[in-house]
Amino acid sequence: MSTNVTETDRTDLSDKGAASVRFRAVDKAFGSLTVLENLHLDVEPGERVVIIGPSGSGKTTILRVTMTLEHIDAGTIQVGGQHLYHEETSAGSLKAASERHIRKVRSNIGMVFQHFNLFPHMSAIENVMLAPVKVHGTSREEAQHLGMELLAKVGLAEHANHTPGQLSGGQKQRVAIARALATQPSVMLFDEVTSALDPELVGDVLKVLRDIAEEGKTTMMLVTHEMGFAREIADRILMFDKGRVVESGPPSQVLDDPQEDRTRSFLGAVAEH
Amino acid sequence: MEDLVLTPGQYAQLWNGALATVRILAGAFALGLFLSLVVGVGRLSERKWVRGISFGFVEFARGISSIILLTIMVIAIPILLGDVFPWLRGRSVAVLGAIALGLNMGGYGAEIIRGSILAIPKGQGEACIALNLSPTQRLRFVVLPQALRIILPPMGNLTIEILKGTALVSVVAGFDLMRATQNLIAGMLAQGALGVTVLFINVLFIYFILAQGVNGLFRLAERVLDRRFEQRTGRSAVPINVAATAGS
Ligand SMILES: Nc1ncnc2c1ncn2[C@@H]1O[C@H](COP(=O)(O)OP(=O)(O)OP(=O)(O)O)[C@@H](O)[C@H]1O
Ligand SMILES: [Mg+2]
C-alpha cells in the first residue's frame, strides 16, 4: 500500500493541546424537523462537557455537526478559534468553507461512535494505524509504535492482531477509542459510547475515558446516560431539550439541585431505570 | 460412448475456437471490470455531471442488445470513428467484439459495484470522515475492500453471461468456438443429423468446462478473501512486544 498523502493533507501529529469549541446561532433541521435552534454554546479548552437530555432532543446531532457528518443550516462553529464551516475573506467577512478548509479544521477533531464503526477487514492495530499513515503521513514504523502504545493504554496490546470480529463489544469500543486518539485530536466527541455494551463491559470503557480525562490533553464532549459517570467526569453538564440548552452547570448543581422543571422530570425518568 | 467422440482433427479445430473464445472473454472481462469500477463509483459521485454521464452509460450499455452492439461495433464503428481513432481501423473482429462485450459487461458490472458500495454500512464512511480520510482513501482502503466480497459472486455470474455472449461474435463473422463449430458442420452434412448432434454435444461440453473454469476462479478468489478475513488471528503480522509498550 502506498501512501496517498499530499502536502496540504499533512497535519502535524505533535501535541496540539486542547481546543475550544464555540457554537454561535447554530440551526440544524432535517426536512421540516428542526433539531438545533439558535444554539449558542462555548466549550473551553480542556473542558469536559456531558450532554444529557431526552431521546430525540438533538444530543447526537450536536456531535455530528461538530464532526461535519451533518452540515449546519445557519450559524457558525469554531474549533480552536478556526471556523469549521466558513472561511474568512480578505475583506473580513465569512464565506462558505471549501472542502479543503473543512478537512484542515476537522483534523483537530475525533469521534467515538455508539456502534464503534471499526473497519472489519483490518486488525485492531491496522485500524489504529490507518489515519496516521494515510492522512498524516506518519511512517509505518512510527505509526505502529504509537498504535501499540495506544492499544496498551486501552488494555488491548495482546489483541493488536485480532480483527473486530474476534473482539467483544467492550474491546471493540476500546480499539475505536485508540483509533480516535491516534490522530491526537484537540477535541474528542463521544456519543453514548457505552450504551451498546453489556453492563459488565461498560466499566473497562469508562476507565479508558477517565484516563483520557485525567491526561487533560483534549477537550471532551460526551453524550451519556450513565449519570454516575457523568457526575464523576464532567466539569459541566448540559441539559438539552428540543435542540436548546435548558440548563447548564456543574454536576452538583444540575444533577442534585436542578432549577428547571424539564431537568427534574428528565432526571426523575432516568432514575427510575 | 465412442459415438460421442470426434476426430482429432475436429478437436484441433474446436481447440482453436475455444482459445479464441477465451481470448475474447479475457479482453471483454478486462474492459468490463475497468468500466464497472469507474462507472459504478461514478454513479455515486458527489458531482452531478459525473453521476449523469455514468447513469447514461449504464442505461446505454444495458439497454442495447449485445448482438446489435456487436454489429455496430464491428461494422459501423471502424467506418464512423476510424478517422478520429485510426486505431479502430483494421482491428480484428475479435478485438472489436471484445470491446462490444466489455461495454455490455461494464453496464451491468457498474450496477453490481454500485449496489455493493451502498451495502457497506453508513458508519464505515462516517468513521472515515472522523479520521479525516479523503473520499478516494475512503473508497480505496475501507469501502472497496469490504465491497469486494459482495461483488465477487454476481460478478462471476456476469462473467459467465459474457462467456455465453462471446458466441455472438461468430454471427458478425468473427472466429471463436461457435464459428469453429459452424465450420465443422459445413463439412459434416454428409454424416447427417446424428453427426451434427454429436458435434453439438461436444461443443456444449466445452462451453460447460469453460464456464466451470470461470466459476472456479471466482470461488478461489472468494476463498482467498475469506481466509484473509479470518486468518488475521494469533499469528502476528505485527510483532507484539507487550513488555516494551505497556509501561510507556
Ligand atoms: N439524518 C436524519 N434524518 C432525519 N431526521 C434525523 C436525522 N438524524 C436525526 N434525526 C432526527 O433528529 C432528532 C434529533 O436526533 P438526535 O439523534 O440528535 O437525538 P438524540 O438526542 O441523540 O436522541 P437519542 O438519545 O435517542 O440518541 C430526532 O427526532 C431524529 O429522529
Ligand atoms: Mg443520540
Side-chain angles (χ1 to χ4, degrees):
Chain A
M1 284 197 286
S2 68
T3 49
N4 249 357
V5 183
T6 62
E7 273 313 311
T8 53
D9 291 335
R10 256 178 235 273
T11 25
D12 200 357
L13 263 190
S14 60
D15 282 335
K16 286 165 288 200
S20 61
V21 186
R22 306 197 188 285
F23 298 77
R24 289 287 174 275
V26 171
D27 289 346
K28 174 68 190 171
F30 294 108
S32 60
L33 176 73
T34 301
V35 179
L36 301 180
E37 201 176 357
N38 193 28
L39 176 72
H40 289 260
L41 176 62
D42 284 290
V43 181
E44 299 309 324
E47 196 180 13
R48 302 189 293 269
V49 170
V50 170
I51 301 167
I52 62 172
S55 181
S57 60
K59 305 182 296 293
T60 294
T61 304
I62 289 201
L63 301 189
R64 288 175 61 85
V65 298
T66 311
M67 193 67 257
T68 69
L69 299 175
E70 310 278 359
H71 285 213
I72 59 177
D73 301 329
T76 64
I77 299 177
Q78 280 180 287
V79 174
Q82 283 180 296
H83 278 287
L84 184 54
Y85 289 104
H86 300 86
E87 285 176 76
E88 271 167 57
T89 62
S90 47
S93 60
L94 292 180
K95 61 166 190 183
S98 63
E99 192 53 38
R100 191 171 150 184
H101 174 88
I102 292 180
R103 271 196 90 194
K104 197 176 103 229
V105 182
R106 185 165 60 201
S107 70
N108 299 304
I109 310 166
M111 182 161 180
V112 182
F113 301 88
Q114 183 174 1
H115 296 290
F116 332 127
N117 299 347
L118 286 180
F119 305 131
H121 59 302
M122 297 181 189
S123 64
I125 184 71
E126 286 170 330
N127 265 277
V128 177
M129 285 167 65
L130 184 69
V133 171
K134 301 300 176 197
V135 181
H136 302 272
T138 312
S139 72
R140 285 193 72 83
E141 298 72 52
E142 202 182 324
Q144 188 179 312
H145 181 77
L146 170 77
M148 286 307 297
E149 241 172 59
L150 287 168
L151 286 177
K153 188 166 158 178
V154 300
L156 290 173
E158 296 90 340
H159 296 76
N161 290 317
H162 290 201
T163 54
Q166 301 164 326
L167 300 172
S168 74
Q171 291 170 331
K172 278 185 220 170
Q173 193 57 296
R174 284 182 281 150
V175 173
I177 294 172
R179 180 177 71 175
L181 284 172
T183 62
Q184 309 203 341
S186 309
V187 175
M188 285 192 80
L189 313 171
F190 299 88
D191 188 15
E192 296 196 38
V193 295
T194 57
S195 63
L197 302 180
D198 291 337
E200 73 269 22
L201 302 177
V202 169
D204 290 338
V205 173
L206 293 186
K207 178 181 172 306
V208 170
L209 296 186
R210 266 181 221 113
D211 291 344
I212 298 171
E214 212 157 279
E215 279 187 16
K217 281 191 205 158
T218 95
T219 305
M220 296 168 82
M221 292 174 69
L222 308 98
V223 174
T224 182
H225 291 301
E226 306 272 340
M227 288 304 158
F229 176 68
R231 176 194 301 279
E232 174 194 337
I233 202 168
D235 295 315
R236 185 154 52 114
I237 294 198
L238 298 179
M239 167 67 197
F240 226 73
D241 193 28
K242 303 201 176 90
R244 291 165 175 279
V245 180
V246 176
E247 189 166 354
S248 149
S252 57
Q253 182 189 319
V254 177
L255 297 182
D256 300 333
D257 185 21
Q259 304 299 303
E260 300 289 329
D261 285 347
R262 196 66 199 84
T263 314
R264 258 185 296 246
S265 65
F266 172 72
L267 290 175
V270 172
E272 277 163 29
H273 290 287
Chain B
M1 216 29 217
E2 240 162 64
D3 303 345
L4 291 177
V5 178
L6 303 171
T7 67
Q10 287 171 317
Y11 275 125
Q13 288 204 44
L14 289 182
W15 171 250
N16 285 337
L19 277 184
T21 286
V22 167
R23 249 181 255 133
I24 295 170
L25 177 65
F29 179 78
L31 176 64
L33 192 65
F34 172 76
L35 287 173
S36 301
L37 259 175
V38 171
V39 178
V41 169
R43 286 274 272 126
L44 299 168
S45 168
E46 277 167 22
R47 295 191 186 87
K48 208 169 169 186
W49 64 269
V50 177
R51 281 204 310 272
I53 292 177
S54 306
F55 181 72
F57 173 82
V58 166
E59 291 308 310
F60 161 78
R62 294 195 307 176
I64 195 164
S65 84
S66 315
I67 184 69
I68 293 173
L69 189 61
L70 265 167
T71 313
I72 294 175
M73 195 69 212
V74 173
I75 296 167
I77 290 289
I79 300 171
L80 290 177
L81 298 181
D83 288 337
V84 193
F85 303 106
W87 181 85
L88 282 171
R89 263 178 294 167
R91 279 303 120 187
S92 69
V93 174
V95 170
L96 295 169
I99 294 177
L101 291 171
L103 287 171
N104 206 229
M105 177 173 170
Y108 289 99
E111 289 300 275
I112 293 177
I113 303 253
R114 183 177 78 100
S116 65
I117 290 177
L118 288 175
I120 304 302
K122 243 181 85 203
Q124 293 289 304
E126 296 185 346
C128 290
I129 295 176
L131 292 171
N132 223 1
L133 266 64
S134 72
T136 318
Q137 292 173 328
R138 192 186 319 168
L139 205 60
R140 179 163 160 212
F141 300 121
V142 176
V143 175
L144 283 182
Q146 294 183 58
L148 194 57
R149 187 62 187 81
I150 318 173
I151 291 170
L152 281 178
M155 212 43 122
N157 285 340
L158 179 57
T159 308
I160 287 175
E161 284 303 314
I162 299 298
L163 166 66
K164 295 188 217 158
T166 56
L168 294 173
V169 172
S170 66
V171 180
V172 287
F175 181 74
D176 73 329
L177 179 54
M178 198 59 211
R179 168 61 53 175
T181 310
Q182 284 158 351
N183 290 347
L184 285 175
I185 293 175
M188 282 175 79
L189 288 177
Q191 288 169 286
L194 182 64
V196 175
T197 308
V198 168
L199 175 65
F200 266 104
I201 289 174
N202 275 273
V203 172
L204 198 79
F205 188 65
I206 296 175
Y207 270 113
F208 176 75
I209 299 216
L210 290 177
Q212 286 312 303
V214 171
N215 253 334
L217 285 176
F218 273 90
R219 293 253 171 72
L220 185 71
E222 279 172 41
R223 218 157 347 126
V224 168
L225 214 62
D226 284 347
R227 215 169 298 150
R228 274 212 347 227
F229 251 75
E230 290 160 12
Q231 223 185 29
R232 302 276 187 79
T233 53
R235 252 152 312 159
S236 38
V238 169
I240 303 178
N241 191 343
V242 183
T245 47
S248 49

